[in-house]
C-alpha cells in the first residue's frame, strides 16, 4: 500500500508532455494555455474620455463658469484638437482626449447654451479621463503557461488583436464499468441487481473536466471479457478509467486482465479512505493510462478526483492539478481510522458541514456535497479550524 501523495506523483509522472493546439478565443474558456502571452498593445491605447461630456481645463471649469465650445471630438478618430483656456470640447465616451484637457465634465453636470456650455458641477482634475496604459502596459504578462483560461481572459487577449491561443490537447477518455450485477437504464431490476450509476457519473465527470471525447463501455465479470475491453480501450490512447473489479474477490478481474492486455501494473492500493483498492497502470504500446477505481460509487468518485482528474488536468496542460477552497469547520471532524479520510460536505457562508451518510456506497451524500475535506488518520479537527477542501465537480 502506498501513500496518496506518492500515488499521485507516480500518476502525474506518467502523463505525457502536453501537446499544444491553436484554439480560437471564443472556444478557449476552460482550456489551459501552453504559452505565455505578453501584452503588445497598451490598454487603454490612448488617453480618452470615460464619459459623454466636455473636455476642459479643470481650473476653468468651476461652478457657474461659461466655456466656449471650440469643437467636437467623436470616438474612433483623433482630430488632434486643443482645449484653449476658457474653452471646452464636446467629447464622447472613448474619444481621444484633446491636448490641454485635464478633466472631463459629464454632460449631466452641464447646461448647453448655444455655442457655450455652463458648468453646474465643478470639474475635478483627472476626472473621467482614462489614461493610456493604466490597465495594461506593453510587456506585461497577460497569461502564463498552465493558466486556466476564462471568458474574461479571452477578452483581454482579444484586446491585443490576438484571435487564438495555444492550449493543451485533452486526452480521449474511455470509461469502463465492470459488474455482472449492473443493469442499464430502461431494463427491469431483478433481485440482487442495481442500475449502473458509475458509468454516466464518471463520464459526466470527465466530460465536465475537459476530456476530448468520452466513450462508455460496460463489461461482464470475466477475465476474457475484461481483457478484451481493456485491450480495445488502449487503442484509443488517452485515459482508460475502469470502475469495479479491482479488489480481492474471485470476481475481480481488472488486475490480471490489465496485465494480459499489455498494461504494466504500476501500483495497487493506496492508503486513503474511501478508495483503498485503486490500481494504476500504463499500456506499454499505446501509452494509454489505466485508472482502476473501486466499484463503490463514492470510492470511484473520490479516487477519480484524487488521481484521475489531476492526470487529466496535467494532460490538458494545467499548472494546478487541483481546484481547492478554504473552508472553516462548522463542527469537529474525527478520523479514528488508520487512513486519511475524505469527508463529503457542503459549504454555507464559508463553513463546511458533512452531507448525508459518509460511507463508500452512499451516493446521495456524495450528490449533496460540494467539497471534500481530508482528515488525517487518527486525527480530530476542532470546530472553527480552517482547512483546504477539494471542490467537487
Ligand atoms: P467491486 O469493486 O466490483 O467489488 O464493487 C463494489 C461495490 O460497488 C458493489 O456493491 C458493486 O455492486 C458496486 N458497483 C460496482 N460498479 C458499480 C456501478 N457501475 N454502478 C453502481 N454500483 C457499482
Ligand atoms: Mg464487481
Amino acid at each position: 500500500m502506498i501513500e496518496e501523495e506518492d500515488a499521485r506523483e507516480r500518476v502525474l509522472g506518467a502523463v505525457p508532455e502536453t501537446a499544444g493546439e491553436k484554439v480560437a478565443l471564443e472556444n478557449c474558456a476552460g482550456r489551459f494555455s501552453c504559452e505565455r502571452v505578453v501584452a503588445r498593445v497598451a490598454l487603454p491605447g490612448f488617453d480618452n474620455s470615460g464619459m459623454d461630456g466636455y473636455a476642459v481645463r479643470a481650473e476653468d471649469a468651476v461652478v457657474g463658469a461659461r466655456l466656449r465650445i471650440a469643437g467636437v471630438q467623436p470616438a474612433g478618430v483623433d482630430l488632434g484638437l486643443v482645449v484653449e483656456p476658457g474653452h471646452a470640447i464636446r467629447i464622447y465616451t472613448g474619444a481621444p482626449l484633446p491636448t490641454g484637457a485635464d478633466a472631463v465634465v459629464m454632460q449631466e453636470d452641464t447646461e448647453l447654451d448655444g455655442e457655450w456650455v455652463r458648468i453646474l458641477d465643478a470639474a475635478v482634475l483627472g476626472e473621467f479621463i482614462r489614461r493610456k496604459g493604466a490597465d495594461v502596459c506593453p510587456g506585461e504578462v497577460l497569461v502564463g503557461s498552465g493558466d486556466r483560461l476564462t471568458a474574461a481572459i479571452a477578452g483581454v487577449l482579444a484586446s491585443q488583436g490576438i484571435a487564438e491561443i495555444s492550449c493543451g490537447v485533452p486526452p480521449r477518455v474511455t470509461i469502463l464499468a465492470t459488474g455482472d450485477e449492473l443493469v442499464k437504464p430502461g431494463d427491469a431490476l431483478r433481485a440482487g441487481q442495481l442500475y449502473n450509476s458509475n458509468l454516466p457519473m464518471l463520464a459526466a465527470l470527465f466530460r465536465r473536466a475537459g476530456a476530448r471525447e468520452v466513450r462508455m463501455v460496460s463489461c461482464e465479470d470475466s477475465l476474457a471479457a475484461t481483457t478484451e475491453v481493456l485491450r480495445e480501450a488502449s487503442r484509443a490512447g488517452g485515459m482508460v478509467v475502469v470502475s469495479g473489479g479491482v479488489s480481492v474477490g474471485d470476481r475481480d478481474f481488472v488486475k490480471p486482465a490489465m496485465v494480459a492486455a499489455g498494461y504494466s501494473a504500476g501500483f495497487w492500493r493506496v492508503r486513503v479512505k474511501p478508495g483503498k483498492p485503486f490500481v494504476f497502470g500504463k499500456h506499454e504500446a499505446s501509452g494509454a493510462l489505466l485508472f482502476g477505481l473501486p466499484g463503490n460509487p463514492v470510492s470511484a468518485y473520490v479516487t477519480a478526483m484524487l488521481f484521475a482528474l489531476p492526470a487529466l488536468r496535467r494532460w490538458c496542460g494545467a499548472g494546478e492539478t487541483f481546484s481547492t477552497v478554504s473552508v472553516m469547520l462548522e463542527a469537529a471532524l474525527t478520523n479514528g481510522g488508520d487512513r486519511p479520510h475524505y469527508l463529503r460536505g457542503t459549504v454555507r457562508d464559508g463553513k463546511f458541514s458533512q452531507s448525508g451518510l459518509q460511507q463508500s456506497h452512499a451516493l446521495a451524500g456524495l450528490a449533496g456535497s460540494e467539497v471534500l475535506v481530508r482528515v488525517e488518520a487518527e486525527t480530530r479537527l476542532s470546530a472553527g479550524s480552517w482547512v483546504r477542501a477539494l471542490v467537487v465537480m
Side-chain angles (χ1 to χ4, degrees):
M1 190 144 57
I2 67 172
E3 299 298 321
E4 180 196 332
E5 290 73 13
D6 188 15
R8 193 159 38 248
E9 215 167 280
R10 293 203 210 179
V11 166
L12 293 176
V15 174
E17 187 77 13
T18 193
E21 63 179 357
K22 290 285 185 192
V23 175
L25 291 185
E26 60 269 35
N27 299 325
C28 80
R31 299 284 298 265
F32 295 91
S33 170
C34 44
E35 61 174 315
R36 190 164 168 268
V37 183
V38 176
R40 347 178 251 216
V41 177
L43 266 195
F46 46 89
D47 292 352
N48 70 87
S49 175
M51 284 286 170
D52 291 333
Y54 295 87
V56 297
R57 292 170 176 265
E59 59 181 20
D60 293 347
V62 296
V63 176
R66 273 177 92 238
L67 304 175
R68 195 181 171 82
I69 302 170
V72 180
Q73 172 61 71
V77 51
D78 189 347
L79 299 177
L81 301 179
V82 179
V83 182
E84 303 290 356
H87 289 70
I89 303 269
R90 178 77 172 117
I91 196 165
Y92 298 94
T93 305
L97 194 72
T99 302
D102 55 16
V104 169
V105 181
M106 66 170 163
Q107 189 172 315
E108 294 85 332
D109 291 339
T110 65
E111 206 171 69
L112 192 58
D113 175 9
E115 289 172 12
W116 299 81
V117 61
R118 188 185 302 279
I119 304 299
L120 305 179
D121 193 7
V124 176
L125 190 66
E127 198 170 31
F128 304 131
I129 293 177
R130 307 192 291 206
R131 291 291 176 196
K132 175 178 180 176
D135 189 19
V136 173
C137 284
E140 232 174 86
V141 176
L142 298 176
V143 171
S145 182
D147 284 0
R148 185 170 191 280
L149 300 171
T150 61
I153 292 175
V156 79
L157 294 177
S159 79
Q160 301 297 304
I162 295 169
E164 46 185 31
I165 179 166
S166 179
C167 295
V169 180
R172 293 192 161 78
V173 177
T174 304
I175 312 285
L176 212 79
T178 69
D180 289 341
E181 72 281 27
L182 303 174
V183 172
K184 62 178 193 304
D187 287 359
L189 281 181
R190 295 212 200 89
Q193 295 184 322
L194 68 160
Y195 288 115
N196 188 338
S197 45
N198 290 353
L199 201 57
M201 174 179 80
L202 294 170
L205 177 63
F206 284 88
R207 199 161 273 156
R208 172 78 178 80
R212 164 142 301 193
E213 188 189 300
V214 180
R215 288 196 313 143
M216 298 196 285
V217 183
S218 293
C219 172
E220 63 176 41
D221 287 322
S222 79
L223 181 58
T226 312
T227 304
E228 181 47 35
V229 292
L230 285 180
R231 187 176 288 133
E232 165 60 25
S234 73
R235 295 203 183 100
M239 294 171 60
V240 180
V241 179
V242 191
S243 101
V246 293
S247 202
V248 293
D250 292 342
R251 312 291 300 160
D252 290 334
F253 292 107
V254 169
K255 280 183 286 132
M258 66 187 269
V259 174
Y263 295 80
S264 65
F267 61 83
W268 176 51
R269 307 224 294 174
V270 182
R271 206 167 70 87
V272 66
K273 181 181 174 184
K276 182 166 78 175
F278 176 80
V279 62
F280 176 70
K282 180 175 182 175
H283 195 260
E284 293 307 334
S286 70
L289 300 186
L290 182 140
F291 300 80
L293 318 179
N296 270 314
V298 179
S299 309
Y301 203 95
V302 171
T303 47
M305 276 187 63
L306 296 182
F307 307 113
L309 286 191
L312 176 74
R313 283 174 70 114
R314 180 60 58 82
W315 204 310
C316 294
E320 296 281 339
T321 46
F322 276 120
S323 166
T324 63
V325 288
S326 235
V327 295
M328 189 209 253
L329 304 183
E330 176 88 64
L333 298 179
T334 304
N335 177 11
D338 61 357
R339 287 178 281 155
H341 192 178
Y342 279 91
L343 295 168
R344 283 74 71 191
T346 55
V347 183
R348 289 288 166 271
D349 300 327
K351 289 192 183 147
F352 171 87
S353 36
Q354 297 185 54
S355 58
L357 274 185
Q358 297 287 335
Q359 287 171 321
S360 56
H361 65 280
L363 256 175
L366 175 69
S369 72
E370 294 162 309
V371 297
L372 304 181
V373 165
R374 176 179 151 130
V375 187
E376 299 302 325
E378 285 151 23
T379 297
R380 181 177 186 277
L381 297 174
S382 48
S385 39
W386 285 88
V387 294
R388 294 292 308 168
L390 300 187
V391 177
V392 171
M393 296 187 92

